[in-house]
Amino acid sequence: MIRVRKSVSQPHSLSSTKAYDGEDVKRQLDTDQYNKCYLCERVCGTDFLVEHLRSQENYPRLIQSWDNLLLGCSYCNGKKSDAYDNILNPLTVNVEDEIEQRIDLLNKQSLFVAVSDDDAHRKTVELLSRLHNGTKHLRNTKEEHFIEYIIAVVNDFRTVIQTYQSQQNPQTEKAVREELGADKELLGFKYWIIKDNPELYAVFGNDMVWNKQQPPPNS
C-alpha cells in the first residue's frame, strides 16, 4: 500500500446524480490509479469496485465525496469492513514511509510494521495483515492464492535486482526502474527492498517519489 495521487477535479456525475459509481467516476479512478487496488496494489482488470475509504455505514455524508472514493478490488473490498474507517488516508499520507512492508518468504507471510503507534497506523497494519495473511490459522483458498501471487511478484523483482547487482549496466538499471514505474504492482514491497539496501537506494531512491506531495516552487 502506497500513497495515491488522484485528479483534483471530481467527475461530473457526483454532482449531477445520486450515484457514487458512475462511469466517469470509474474511468477517472481507473486512470488515476493505473487500474490498481489502493490496498493490495494488484492490477484489478475488470475486477474493480468504487471503494469508500470511510464506510457508507458510518459516514453517509461522504458517500459521494470525491475525496472518499478510491479504486479497490473485490477481494480487498470483501475484507475491509466499517471497522477500518480510521486507516491512514493514502490520498494525504505517504503510506510507504509510514508502514514498513516486507515479505517473510520462509513462512509465506507479509510483514507490516508501523513507524508510529497510534490508532490509524495500528488499524492500517491490522487491515493489511488481514488481507495478506488471512484471519485464521489456515488460509482459505482465496487467501492462499493471494499470498502466492504476492510472493511470485516480489520474487520476480528480486531477480531483476540480483541481475542488476551482478551486471551493472544501463540495461539492467533500466529494468529496475521499469519495475518501479507508477503502473507496476506491489510498489510498497519493492520500495522497501530498495530502502533496505543503501547502495540500491542511492541509485533508485528518486524513482520512489512520483506519488508524493511535491513542495511548491521556491519553497
Side-chain angles (χ1 to χ4, degrees):
M1 184 179 182
I2 66 172
R3 183 172 184 144
V4 174
R5 294 188 69 175
K6 193 166 73 169
S7 302
V8 176
S9 300
Q10 71 172 28
H12 178 68
S13 68
L14 292 176
S15 58
S16 62
T17 73
K18 294 183 178 181
Y20 66 83
D21 58 352
E23 282 301 311
D24 55 345
V25 175
K26 293 175 183 176
R27 190 177 302 279
Q28 192 60 60
L29 289 176
D30 184 68
T31 299
D32 290 345
Q33 294 180 220
Y34 299 90
N35 191 235
K36 294 189 298 183
C37 173
Y38 80 104
L39 288 170
C40 70
E41 287 194 83
R42 295 178 302 165
V43 171
C44 297
T46 58
D47 179 35
F48 65 85
L49 301 165
V50 178
E51 161 77 2
H52 291 86
L53 181 65
R54 312 300 184 212
S55 67
Q56 300 181 65
E57 292 80 5
N58 292 336
Y59 294 85
R61 293 184 179 181
L62 298 181
I63 289 177
Q64 281 191 291
S65 172
W66 178 233
D67 292 334
N68 194 46
L69 301 177
L70 290 160
L71 194 75
C73 70
S74 61
Y75 174 85
C76 291
N77 179 267
K79 286 184 172 291
K80 180 182 179 292
S81 66
D82 57 10
Y84 294 101
D85 282 334
N86 194 33
I87 64 172
L88 296 172
N89 186 340
L91 296 173
T92 61
V93 176
N94 299 329
V95 182
E96 64 271 29
D97 296 332
E98 297 297 312
I99 306 291
E100 299 178 12
Q101 304 170 48
R102 299 182 179 90
I103 296 290
D104 178 355
L105 294 175
L106 181 62
N107 295 304
K108 293 178 66 175
Q109 295 279 321
S110 298
L111 305 176
F112 303 100
V113 179
V115 301
S116 299
D117 186 25
D118 57 37
D119 187 59
H121 284 78
R122 287 194 299 269
K123 281 294 187 182
T124 305
V125 167
E126 182 181 319
L127 175 58
L128 291 175
S129 296
R130 176 177 180 149
L131 297 174
H132 286 254
N133 302 321
T135 54
K136 299 179 181 179
H137 179 65
L138 294 176
R139 294 187 176 98
N140 63 34
T141 303
K142 285 187 177 181
E143 292 166 349
E144 189 65 30
H145 285 315
F146 179 94
I147 195 65
E148 287 175 352
Y149 182 79
I150 300 299
I151 289 173
V153 173
V154 171
N155 277 340
D156 286 345
F157 180 63
R158 289 185 182 278
T159 299
V160 174
I161 289 293
Q162 290 167 358
T163 301
Y164 164 75
Q165 290 174 318
S166 62
Q167 306 172 34
Q168 293 190 21
N169 57 54
Q171 290 72 33
T172 58
E173 183 174 322
K174 179 182 178 182
V176 175
R177 295 190 193 283
E178 288 178 347
E179 285 296 317
L180 297 173
D183 60 328
K184 300 302 181 182
E185 296 182 305
L186 307 184
L187 292 178
F189 290 111
K190 292 177 180 179
Y191 287 175
W192 277 96
I193 290 173
I194 300 295
K195 288 181 178 183
D196 284 338
N197 186 312
E199 293 181 1
L200 291 174
Y201 189 75
V203 178
F204 301 107
N206 288 335
D207 295 282
M208 304 188 297
V209 299
W210 64 270
N211 60 331
K212 291 179 170 60
Q213 183 67 39
Q214 301 300 314
N218 303 320
S219 61

